[in-house]
């Protein structure tokens, strides 16, 4: 009998021990999850020295470092490349663009500063989007005609290394911070690009609109513009997006080797593209809405007054 | 026995009838709900002739017509008043502003067109926000110095009729379509306004920033600006919001009776306000972020080329 009681007591004890152990295990798990979460809110400062040449600083979100190629059933990723530089209207322009991107999911935002110093107000705007991002500072290549070229050339190199495994599961769009984007542009046009997508851009080249001209077979055979419409590429950077695959396959395409022309025909001709490769969007819609506008903010500030900012942040 | 069988059969029948009736009732209920839903998507064209003087056209969302004063535990409503007029950059400006408002809840957007013809592209932009809105066309009062005055004066009259029962449960903000709004402005500043809230505005009056000057007792005692800082109201329309109560109480305040000065001091002085009534926001924050910018889009279009729009929508 004593033996049985002992066994019973032992089992009772074991039961309590197991319950306590279980509770402790649960507690540790919860604490671990909280710790992991808390640490993922910290923004790691790291330089992508392994990915790109020297002279580049970068701040990437934890979400960026976790990004993997989408499976074939999933929506492809949109990689947005934004060259930017300090100017009085920059923070306002970046706020508007960031708030536009906050409506779009499954995107990566690569912001490339003109110079190797990152701007803290810009960084905070980017971070508030809660999107996957990298903010780079890239020293300008003075041999290139305009400042945006260095940034876009850096972006092509970075894409070929960081997104090498993404094949056709991502689309690349060069998006300036002062343009106006209708949020429908991203999922109705860009997300569907299999090769090169093209569409109308409003208020560009001192004209109300420039757009691809589409023939009855839905093939682009020219450009709707009265300014040199016979040009091979009468298109603004905001008017096209590229399937990543095209950039990965044409490894030599860059913004360096054709310094004389504007950047759009430079890139598109070096990618070995013809108008027949283009996918036109929006030309058959009714009404014919423009979904991206090449807007510019006026610099309304009198010279010599830039320093009167009373501790408020302005660039 | 026969009787019992009959009763049983009758009960059986009644069971079936009840099931069928139940099913039909359920079906009708579902159809009714669907019909009500479908009808609520239709936008009723109606003129607020009962609310305002003649010569006004309006399109209001069903959500607008359902709006009631928030209970005291609920967040107050923000009423946003936007005068607008056709110009080449208008659609782009409206797209950006509409997409900003799509981040904010518990708002009503009153858009007032300069003239009695409504713009269909603008209407579609407003409708896509899925916010409660009214889009008005109000014929300009040529006696007033600038076109925005007619719209804002109309808005004051409309507020005093449609929102008469809202007491202090709404805040009124005059927001131009080309300004830049950080989404934090709405819930961190405007929503908390008990009397008159004031804050910094970026890129205004040809200066990087104008802001209220706040003394150690957190009272506004002047203005941070080097352009006539001794003015009673050195503030832009974007830099303040009013608790609805103030507009309801001061029934005579309008934009008509002081034609010479700019609209901000006109309204604020006619509302019988002093600087001591002001609630300053953002002055003690670190960093001192600007949450609203008086941006302007450049009109980059060459004269005579406005008609080259190839069927795409531009104004």
């Amino acid at each position: 009998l004593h033996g049985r009681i002992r066994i019973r007591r032992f089992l009772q004890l074991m039961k309590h021990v197991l319950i306590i152990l279980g509770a402790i295990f649960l507690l540790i798990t919860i604490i671990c999850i909280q710790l992991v979460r808390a640490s993922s809110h910290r923004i790691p400062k790291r330089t992508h020295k392994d990915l790109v040449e020297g002279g580049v600083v970068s701040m990437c979100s934890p979400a960026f470092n976790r990004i993997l190629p989408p499976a074939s059933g999933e929506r492809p990723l949109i990689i947005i490349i934004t060259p930017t530089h300090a100017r009085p209207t920059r923070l306002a322009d970046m706020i508007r663009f960031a708030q536009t991107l906050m409506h779009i999911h499954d995107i990566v935002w690569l912001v490339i500063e003109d110079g190797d110093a990152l701007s803290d107000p810009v960084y905070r705007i980017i971070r508030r989007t809660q999107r996957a991002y990298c903010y780079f500072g890239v020293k300008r290549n003075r041999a290139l005609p305009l400042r945006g070229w260095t940034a876009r050339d850096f972006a092509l190199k970075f894409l070929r290394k960081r997104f090498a495994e993404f094949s056709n599961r991502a689309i690349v769009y060069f998006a300036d911070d002062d343009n106006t984007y209708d949020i429908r542009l991203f999922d109705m046009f860009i997300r569907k690009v299999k090769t090169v997508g093209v569409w109308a851009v409003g208020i560009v080249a001192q004209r109300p609109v420039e757009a691809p001209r589409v023939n009855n077979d839905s093939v682009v055979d020219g450009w709707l513009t009265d300014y040199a419409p016979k040009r091979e590429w009468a298109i603004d950077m905001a008017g096209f997006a590229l399937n990543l695959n095209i950039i990965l396959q044409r490894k030599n395409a860059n913004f360096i080797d054709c310094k004389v022309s504007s950047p759009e025909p430079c890139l598109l001709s070096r990618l070995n593209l013809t108008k027949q490769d283009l996918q036109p969007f929006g030309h058959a819609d009714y009404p014919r809405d423009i979904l991206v506008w090449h807007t510019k903010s006026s610099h309304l500030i009198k010279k010599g007054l830039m320093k009167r900012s009373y501790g408020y942040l302005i660039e």
Side-chain angles (χ1 to χ4, degrees), chain A residues 268-286:
Chain A
L268 292 167
S269 59
R270 290 195 58 82
L271 284 169
N272 249 340
L273 294 167
T274 66
K275 285 201 280 289
Q276 284 69 44
D277 295 317
L278 304 181
Q279 266 176 279
F281 288 90
H283 60 286
D285 293 349
Y286 182 81

Side-chain angles (χ1 to χ4, degrees), chain A residues 141 144 149-150 153 157 253-259 266 270:
Chain A
N141 179 346
L144 295 179
W149 292 48
T150 304
D153 198 70
K157 281 188 205 132
N254 60 43
F255 284 94
I256 306 280
D257 296 336
C258 46
K259 288 167 198 170
C266 170
R270 290 195 58 82

